[in-house]
Amino acid sequence: MTYKYGTDAPASVDSRNLGAAFHKAIMANANRGGENVAPGSLIGSLLGASIGFSRLPAVLLDGLAPAHRAAIDAEVDAFLAASPYVQAAKSSL
């Protein structure tokens, strides 16, 4: 599924529509039913990293715990700041 909807799929994904491709992949996984949580997290991680946060569809982001968004963002920032991989990447720049 990641290949089918991802950015390396042959000519089926226009670079201007990466958010739409992400949305389509996530919805296809959700609608297939069954055990779709692990594949959904993998698809979201791979495609999300591929297209970048700024291209994620707003319709998917707006409903993510809006009352807790600031706390979640702070927790993610703290996690990244503590990551030795992020620190190593920054020091190599």
Side-chain angles (χ1 to χ4, degrees), residues 4-53:
K4 181 176 181 180
Y5 297 104
T7 59
D8 291 332
S12 64
V13 178
D14 185 340
S15 64
R16 294 169 292 175
N17 297 319
L18 294 174
F22 178 88
H23 188 265
K24 191 173 183 180
I26 292 296
M27 295 309 294
N29 178 69
N31 291 331
R32 74 182 181 89
E35 295 293 328
N36 60 9
V37 174
S41 65
L42 183 61
I43 290 167
S45 298
L46 292 174
L47 291 181
S50 176
I51 69 171
F53 183 80

